[in-house]
Amino acid sequence: MVPDLPAELAGRRIRVAVLCGGESPEHDVSLVSARNVLGAMDPERYDPSVIQIGRDGVWRRAGQSAALSVTPGLPPEAGGAEFDVVFPVLHGPNGEDGTVQGLLELLHVPYVGPGVLGAALTMDKEAAKRVLQAAGLPVVPWVTVRAGKARPGWEATTGRLGRPVFVKPARMGSSVGVSVAATAEELDRALEEAFAFDAKVLVEQRIDGREIECAVLGNEYPEASVPGEIASTHDFYSYEAKYVDEHGARLHAPADLAPDQAERIREMSVLAFQALCCAGMARVDFFLTAAGKDGEAAAGARDGVYINEVNGIPGFTEISMYPRLWATTGLEYPQLIDRLISLAFARHAARKERGR
Ligand SMILES: Nc1ncnc2c1ncn2[C@@H]1O[C@H](COP(=O)(O)OP(=O)(O)O)[C@@H](O)[C@H]1O
Ligand SMILES: [Mg+2]
């Protein structure tokens, strides 16, 4: 039984539309995530269907070529089928950034994951940092570079941030457009690369530390999983290390951490989730340096801990940490799906009750 279900759904399977694909460079990653989410859905409980957004932006029922039409104020209809809830398994712009969430709000359909603001904030790494900072949470020192303006000089930038630096598009994921720069020429090249994906780019201090991730689940009062660790075998956790090289990274769940350190990371994860107006799910990614141990105060860090980023729609691929961390915490994949779907209904019902 899925808790918090609307009464009209009693006694029948819940029709879930899994939204996947999309126009972003993370199209393929989304398809892999969606396949896993579908595989974890209990067929006795759910009647799933797949809506695949093409690279051309057209919405299609999987396996069919006809475009779907959506009518504001009504549940989305596709060839006569209606859905009770939508599960956006989309990564990157036009999916994870509040655009799809806004459409679903207008259609008055319950949906899994963050709403408009949570999705938009977690998608924009600069906006997210500013909000996290204002909430007193530690973020990696950075400078923002905008397209069309004079590029920052190497000396001035590295004078503030040290060297090398990390360069990344503000609104992208899966390490697309992310590179490390150790010289002025590399910085130029890295900016060029990042500007191919966004008009706003972040140049960050390189943090030499462990990558720790924590999964969060809930709405107003979410819970955090045990933290896990990603040990990349590449220069950093690049697209290749994530998805191309099957030996690109080793995942450890739980991470080998002192109990108080793990606890602090869980607390920070919940605070970050709330500060960024997340809902349903999020994965909070950290860097953990040795600075905490010898008492060295690193700029921006607290006890050697920085929040790198928060993912409002975390990956659900085979190698993805989000479902794995919950399994390690004691919540198996099918039960995780149940929770996510009931959180979507709960959020929808609460908003409806207030007349939104
Ligand atoms: N400031 C940094 N210092 C060290 N490594 C970094 C830094 N920023 C990013 N990285 C590396 O690049 C990877 C991808 O960067 P991230 O900011 O997480 O972007 P994405 O949203 O694409 O995952 C990280 O997992 C990490 O391995
Ligand atoms: Mg990341």
Side-chain angles (χ1 to χ4, degrees), residues 26 123 125 129 140-141 165-169 172-179 204-209 211 213 230 232 235-238 242 283 285 287 308-309 311:
E26 293 179 87
M123 189 74 238
K125 289 183 165 72
K129 275 178 187 282
V140 178
V165 287
F166 263 81
V167 181
K168 54 182 92 170
M172 193 44 66
S174 294
S175 300
V176 173
V178 178
S179 47
E204 281 185 359
Q205 177 185 331
R206 193 277 302 258
I207 305 300
D208 186 11
E211 292 196 54
E213 303 192 344
I230 288 175
S232 168
D235 287 349
F236 66 95
Y237 198 32
S238 62
K242 284 178 184 174
R283 200 191 69 232
D285 297 350
F287 294 124
N308 172 31
E309 60 156 349
N311 291 281

Side-chain angles (χ1 to χ4, degrees), residues 18 37 48 76 103 111 114 121 163 205 209 212 221 231-232 272 288 299 311 317 332 335-336 339:
V18 173
V37 167
L103 174 65
Y111 58 93
L121 273 176
R163 43 186 88 164
Q205 177 185 331
I212 305 290
Y221 303 101
S232 168
L288 183 61
N311 291 281
T317 68
E332 292 300 330
Q335 284 76 51
L336 173 61
R339 288 284 298 275

